[in-house]
């Protein structure tokens, strides 16, 4: 957070190393990402391969994992990097989250030694891009209903089915695909060059345009026995990965919110209405104050959850508290900032409506707000209300 918006001195809770990683990531976001984002968002195209290599060179891919070329940094450092990248654009943070927290994490946590050595160093360097296929056209919030299946043919596996809304899909070198088997849900490491695999890009998105989103189609995809992730059994495998990516979003969403608020504070200081600056009106100050309070609370919550994760005690329902609150507040902040910019707020010259539009996706992916309310509701009452 910049000094002016850090009202409660959150920075005093951060280590020197965390501050340094934040500064490096912020510089990269400001110099390399921010200037191009209006164009990438408008044209809905990003130089994904180039970006992956640059992010890899900075050590930002799988940065919270250890070994295999990964940086081995702590969760708060990882969260702060997500925050700075999402201050540029949520789609950029998705590139980083899906690569590090979903595709790489699945292999790191559940993979064989052979799978780890084959993929992780290249993925950490950004030389190979990964995607994570859990959602299907008819099963998003309820992945346990998935239809994609894997059956044995001798020692081989044959995969059939489709996945929907898959980030990085069309640019990926490797897809981690979750499928139903006779032995329950299992994960498979699928090189995207395998015959029968295709990943058409989803077009005409009005949100997260600076991000590749795709369908995955698997038609008799034949894989060797060694393609299965040996240590992931049942739905807890993919859901365990989601905890990692959701954690990054708790920080990331506050980055988008901060960027909106910085823009609104600066705009209100310059814009003259009825012969004085917009920022001198009480109504404007009340909006700015309320938003700054929510931003500071959200960042504090993120750092607190990061410290729990460091100790190894972070529980899934605590991740839900962070994801629900911080994304919900971020989208509210983005929309309120848009009112301060008024007509200019709908222009791509300013980042505010781009963030608000992106946050519609962030509100939905990695568990909708309703799913997180139900996770918290279950923790409070002991009763599952999903079914
Ligand atoms: P349920 O019966 O509760 O659980 C099945 C098994 O999973 C375990 N489990 C978890 N394990 C680790 N972490 C969690 N958060 C877990 N939640 C549940 C559970 O203990 C059980 O284990 P076991 O050993 O007894 O079998 O499962 P359910 O079918 O009732 O579903 C629960 C629910 C609805 C919470 C879950 O399905 C869910 O989270 N749904 C939302 C799906 C979702 O978030 N998809 C995201 C796809 S990836 C994505 O969106 C990427 S966006 C791009 C980006 O990140 O930038
Ligand atoms: P549905 O599950 O159909 O939900 C529809 C509505 O019903 C929602 O409001 C939901 O909250 C509500 N609802 C659902 N269940 C209940 C219930 N039990 N009680 C009350 N209300 C309920 N997925 C991946 O696997 N990998 C990716 O990389 C990925 N990237 C994505 C990128 C983008 C840009 C987007 C938009 C999505 C991405 N997703 C990805 C998919 C995302 O995870 C799903 O969209 C999300 O889980 C919700 O599923 P759904 O869209 O099918 O909604």
């Amino acid at each position: 957070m910049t000094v002016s918006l850090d009202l409660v001195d959150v920075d005093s809770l951060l280590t020197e190393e965390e501050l340094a990683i934040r500064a490096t990531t912020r510089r990269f976001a400001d110099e390399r990402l921010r200037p191009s984002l209006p164009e990438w968002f408008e044209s809905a195209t990003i130089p994904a391969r180039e970006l992956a290599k640059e992010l890899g060179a900075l050590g930002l891919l799988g940065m919270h994992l250890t070994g295999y070329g990964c940086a081995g940094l702590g969760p708060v450092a990882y969260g702060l990097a997500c925050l700075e990248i999402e201050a540029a654009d949520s789609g950029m943070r998705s590139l980083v989250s899906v690569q590090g927290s979903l595709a790489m994490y699945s292999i790191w946590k559940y993979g064989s030694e052979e799978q780890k050595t084959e993929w992780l160093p290249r993925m950490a360097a950004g030389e190979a891009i990964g995607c994570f296929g859990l959602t299907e056209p008819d099963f998003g919030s309820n992945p346990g209903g998935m239809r994609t299946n894997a059956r044995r043919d001798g020692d081989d596996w044959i995969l059939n089915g489709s996945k929907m809304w898959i980030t990085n899909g069309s640019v990926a070198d490797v897809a981690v695909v979750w499928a139903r088997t006779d032995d329950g849900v299992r994960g498979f490491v699928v090189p995207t060059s395998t015959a029968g695999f295709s990943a058409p890009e989803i077009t005409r998105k009005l949100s997260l345009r600076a991000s590749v989103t795709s369908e995955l189609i698997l038609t008799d995809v034949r894989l060797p026995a060694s393609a299965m992730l040996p240590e992931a059994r049942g739905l807890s495998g993919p859901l365990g990965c989601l905890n990692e990516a959701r954690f990054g979003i708790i920080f990331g969403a506050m980055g988008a919110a901060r960027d909106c608020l910085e823009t609104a504070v600066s705009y209100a200081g310059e814009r003259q209405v009825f012969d004085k600056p917009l920022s001198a009106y009480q109504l404007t100050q009340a909006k700015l104050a309320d938003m700054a309070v929510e931003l500071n609370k959200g960042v504090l919550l993120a750092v607190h959850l990061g410290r729990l994760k460091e100790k190894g005690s972070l529980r899934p329902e605590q991740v839900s508290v962070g994801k629900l609150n911080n994304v919900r507040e971020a989208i509210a902040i983005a929309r309120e900032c848009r009112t301060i910019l008024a007509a200019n707020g709908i222009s791509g010259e300013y980042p505010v409506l781009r963030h608000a539009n992106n946050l519609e996706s962030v509100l939905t992916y990695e568990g909708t707000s309703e799913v997180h309310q139900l996770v918290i509701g279950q923790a409070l009452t002991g009763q599952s209300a999903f079914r």
Side-chain angles (χ1 to χ4, degrees):
M1 216 183 296
T2 56
V3 177
S4 58
L5 294 186
D6 184 4
L7 296 173
V8 296
D9 199 11
V10 181
D11 280 10
S12 66
L13 303 175
L14 306 176
T15 65
E16 288 301 316
E17 185 183 53
E18 288 161 353
L19 290 167
I21 288 157
R22 185 181 67 174
T24 308
T25 315
R26 187 180 293 181
R27 199 160 43 247
F28 175 76
D30 284 346
E31 292 172 6
R32 172 66 174 113
L33 305 180
R34 195 179 291 281
S36 300
L37 273 158
E39 163 58 23
W40 293 342
F41 187 88
E42 207 171 321
S43 63
T45 48
I46 57 166
R49 293 215 155 266
E50 269 171 50
L51 289 173
K53 284 186 187 146
E54 291 171 46
L55 290 160
L58 282 173
L60 296 175
L61 300 178
M63 65 187 279
H64 59 309
L65 308 180
T66 49
Y68 308 97
C70 303
L73 291 161
V76 174
Y78 169 61
L80 292 168
C82 288
L83 188 153
E84 293 304 330
I85 292 170
E86 193 149 357
D89 193 273
S90 302
M92 296 290 111
R93 197 264 310 131
S94 268
L95 173 60
V96 171
S97 300
V98 170
Q99 176 85 350
S101 284
L102 293 179
M104 290 176 73
Y105 182 83
S106 310
I107 296 171
W108 181 84
K109 177 82 178 167
Y110 305 121
S112 63
E113 198 50 40
E114 185 191 347
Q115 289 164 339
K116 291 181 198 183
T117 46
E118 180 178 0
W119 289 108
L120 293 179
R122 281 195 285 150
M123 292 173 86
E127 282 156 14
I129 296 181
C131 69
F132 178 91
L134 179 62
T135 304
E136 298 190 354
D138 294 328
F139 298 96
S141 300
N142 177 22
M146 71 176 69
R147 293 204 185 100
T148 297
N149 64 83
R151 66 176 167 80
R152 285 283 196 183
D153 183 28
D155 280 348
D156 290 350
W157 287 101
I158 310 288
L159 266 62
N160 278 289
S162 67
K163 298 288 174 181
M164 193 63 181
W165 301 110
I166 306 305
T167 302
N168 297 347
S170 316
V171 292
D173 301 284
V174 60
V176 172
V177 174
W178 300 94
R180 180 177 301 291
T181 72
D182 286 344
D183 188 25
V185 171
R186 304 297 301 247
F188 295 86
V189 180
V190 185
T192 56
S193 55
T194 312
F197 179 96
S198 62
E201 188 165 353
I202 297 172
T203 56
R204 304 179 75 181
K205 285 181 298 174
L206 302 177
S207 168
L208 224 76
R209 288 175 62 77
S211 172
V212 176
T213 316
S214 315
E215 185 180 358
L216 306 184
I217 301 171
L218 299 110
T219 310
D220 290 332
V221 171
R222 179 177 288 275
L223 299 169
S226 60
M228 191 178 74
L229 292 170
E231 305 301 330
R233 285 176 187 277
L235 206 54
S236 61
L239 294 181
C241 303
L242 300 186
N243 295 331
E244 298 298 306
R246 290 169 179 173
F247 173 78
I249 291 173
I250 296 171
F251 279 84
M254 289 295 100
R258 185 196 71 195
D259 196 50
C260 291
L261 189 51
E262 276 179 358
T263 306
V265 169
S266 155
Y267 185 89
E270 285 164 18
R271 179 74 177 176
Q272 301 286 316
V273 293
F274 293 93
D275 305 323
K276 65 177 188 182
L278 179 56
S279 59
Y281 290 89
Q282 288 185 346
L283 280 176
T284 310
Q285 290 194 7
K287 288 182 185 180
L288 296 175
D290 285 351
M291 289 190 284
V293 167
E294 288 308 328
L295 177 65
N296 278 264
K297 281 157 64 180
V299 178
L300 276 173
L301 175 59
V303 173
H304 170 67
L305 296 178
R307 296 295 176 222
L308 293 185
K309 190 165 166 56
E310 240 166 50
K311 286 195 286 183
S313 67
L314 184 64
R315 298 193 304 271
E317 67 270 24
Q318 295 171 325
V319 174
S320 287
V321 170
K323 205 265 180 182
L324 174 64
N325 182 75
N326 284 12
V327 181
R328 197 161 61 182
E329 292 308 325
I331 201 165
I333 288 172
R335 288 173 181 158
E336 187 80 308
C337 288
R338 213 287 304 158
T339 69
I340 291 177
L341 273 73
N344 278 321
I346 73 152
S347 163
E349 295 296 318
Y350 294 89
V352 176
L353 193 57
R354 173 164 54 81
H355 282 306
N357 279 358
N358 284 339
L359 287 164
E360 294 289 347
S361 288
V362 184
L363 200 63
T364 287
Y365 66 34
E366 289 293 353
T368 64
S369 300
E370 294 79 7
V371 160
H372 291 294
Q373 285 174 318
L374 292 173
V375 170
I376 296 166
Q378 185 172 3
L380 289 173
T381 65
Q383 309 204 53
S384 167
F386 289 106
R387 299 183 165 78

